């Protein structure tokens, strides 16, 4: 009977492990499957086309140029490699500026013909029109349909998913914001976390350590939204007033909040690494005449270097993956930051803020899944780094 129960427990554990692994693999597969659709999505809003006059030699326009044209930042075709001709932007809502209601028909049945006539007449026009309004024998030139390319996503410098007619999905501002906030967090938390870990492992009395350790670990259990609310109410105004900034929601505010959130991880892992230093090595150092402090920074810390490095990497991973606290204190500006005192937007915050509003299956939806894939790749690399560092043998 006992042997049967052991076999049953072993089988249950095996099934549980296989099920968990399968679920994780399915989640990863779903993530990359949804993300891969981005590079098959049209660059121009689905269901619409861009049309120009037949005499216009321009054959294609990048999404960035399309946005700049429709934002009136590019006003002449010569800026796009075309003729020296002013650009006339046309949207469907502008139709009544060119034709009367009677010319469009009582039920707007003449709209396709009028659009065709307008594009043929205006040499500098670029028309953003529904595909259903392209009449047979259309007298203009429809620009070829393009898809979003990996280069536009991975090297793009603008994140503007609601731009019309061509949304922009540039990773660079979001990735730079994520890395900047995470770098600031680890620079702030690592020295303080190491100091606390050394104190708890080598200096604090057992009674003090028994009190400090649960208190520090309790920090990891506080919901991130509480950290974010505290940062928004207390830290953001403090930074704004101290540095004389227009707004306090900056990368620095996000770094400070994440530094506090990363401390429990760094302190716990680093302290465990320090306490695993063999007692014989410390006693040998003291026997040779070294002081307690000399033993700590010449024997204990070097011996624990791999564990301390693992603590730093895990702290970075904690910072990179955080969502709610960063969303509340960083300002959510999808721009490439130049200093710590500017609003930024991180990858997790972007996914959290926009996924609920993105139409399922659309380019915006797929771009957010691609951000998730990028975040997954970053955290996977960090996990592999931890495994590699932890597996190194002490000399």
């Amino acid at each position: 009977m006992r042997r049967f129960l052991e076999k049953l427990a072993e089988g249950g554990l095996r099934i549980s492990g296989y099920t968990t692994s399968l679920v994780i693999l399915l989640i990863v597969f779903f993530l990359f499957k949804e993300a891969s659709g981005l590079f098959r999505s049209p660059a121009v809003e689905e269901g619409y086309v861009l049309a120009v006059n037949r005499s216009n030699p321009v054959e294609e326009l990048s999404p960035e140029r399309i946005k700049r044209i429709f934002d009136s930042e590019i006003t002449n075709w010569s800026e796009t490699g075309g003729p020296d001709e002013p650009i006339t932007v046309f949207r469907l809502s502008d139709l009544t500026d060119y034709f009367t209601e009677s010319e469009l028909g009582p039920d707007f049945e003449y709209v396709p013909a009028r659009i065709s006539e307008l594009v043929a007449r205006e040499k500098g026009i670029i028309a953003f029109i529904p595909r259903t309004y392209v009449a047979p024998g259309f007298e203009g030139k429809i620009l070829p349909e393009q898809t979003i390319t990996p280069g536009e996503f991975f090297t793009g410098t603008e994140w503007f998913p609601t731009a019309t007619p061509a949304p922009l999905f540039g990773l660079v501002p979001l990735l730079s914001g994520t890395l900047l906030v995470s770098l600031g967090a680890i620079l702030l938390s690592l020295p303080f976390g190491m100091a606390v870990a050394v104190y708890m492992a080598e200096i604090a009395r057992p009674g003090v350590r028994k009190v400090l350790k649960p208190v520090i670990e309790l920090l990891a259990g506080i919901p991130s939204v509480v950290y974010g609310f505290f940062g928004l109410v207390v830290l953001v105004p403090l930074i704004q007033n101290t540095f004389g900034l227009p707004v306090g929601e900056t990368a620095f505010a996000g770094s400070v909040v994440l530094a506090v959130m990363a401390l429990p991880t760094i302190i716990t892992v680093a302290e465990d690494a320090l306490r695993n230093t063999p007692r014989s090595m410390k006693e040998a150092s003291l026997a040779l005449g070294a002081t307690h402090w000399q033993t700590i920074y010449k024997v204990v810390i070097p011996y624990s270097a791999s564990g301390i490095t693992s603590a730093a990497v895990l702290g970075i991973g904690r910072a990179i993956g955080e969502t709610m606290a960063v969303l509340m204190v960083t300002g959510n500006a999808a721009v490439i930051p130049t200093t710590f005192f500017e609003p930024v937007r991180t990858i997790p915050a972007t996914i959290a803020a926009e996924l609920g509003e993105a139409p399922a299956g659309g380019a915006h939806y797929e771009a957010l899944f691609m951000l998730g894939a990028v975040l997954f790749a970053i955290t996977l690399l960090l996990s592999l780094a931890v495994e590699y560092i932890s597996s190194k043998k002490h000399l």
Side-chain angles (χ1 to χ4, degrees), residues 237-370:
L238 180 63
I239 291 175
Q240 182 178 2
N241 295 331
T242 302
F243 296 99
L245 302 173
V247 293
E249 291 91 347
T250 58
F252 183 69
S255 295
V256 174
V257 171
L258 287 184
V260 176
M261 296 179 69
L263 276 176
T265 301
I266 294 174
I267 292 172
T268 301
V269 176
E271 190 224 354
D272 289 342
L274 292 168
R275 289 177 65 84
N276 284 333
T277 304
R279 184 180 182 87
S280 58
M281 292 185 65
K282 293 188 283 186
E283 290 176 347
S285 175
L286 294 171
L288 290 173
T291 64
H292 190 190
W293 281 108
Q294 288 174 327
T295 300
I296 289 173
Y297 71 80
K298 289 188 176 181
V299 176
V300 176
I301 292 178
Y303 182 86
S304 310
S306 63
I308 293 170
T309 307
S310 297
V313 176
L314 286 172
I316 294 173
R318 176 75 172 89
I320 285 178
E322 180 51 46
T323 301
M324 188 53 65
V326 179
L327 181 65
M328 297 173 71
V329 301
T330 54
N332 291 314
V335 295
I336 300 176
T338 56
T339 70
F340 275 102
F341 299 101
E342 294 179 14
V344 297
R345 175 180 282 189
T346 64
I347 291 176
T350 301
I351 296 172
E354 298 181 6
L355 189 58
E357 302 174 358
H364 187 191
Y365 177 86
E366 293 164 342
L368 294 176
F369 271 90
M370 184 58 73

Side-chain angles (χ1 to χ4, degrees), residues 50-114:
L50 291 176
V52 297
N53 188 275
R54 285 188 182 276
S55 64
N56 194 329
V58 173
E59 293 296 334
E60 63 179 36
L61 293 168
S62 66
E64 185 178 355
R65 279 186 170 178
I66 294 171
K67 177 181 178 295
R68 292 179 64 193
I69 287 173
F70 279 80
D71 287 347
S72 300
E73 295 176 12
I74 295 178
T75 58
N76 195 291
W77 283 109
S78 61
E79 299 176 61
T80 65
D84 186 11
E85 184 79 36
I87 296 176
T88 302
V89 173
F90 173 80
R91 298 178 177 85
L92 195 62
S93 57
D94 300 326
L95 202 57
T96 53
D97 295 337
Y98 295 91
F99 303 101
T100 64
E101 291 185 11
S102 60
E103 290 176 313
L104 298 176
D107 295 321
F108 299 100
E109 63 270 23
Y110 302 137
V111 168
R114 294 293 173 259

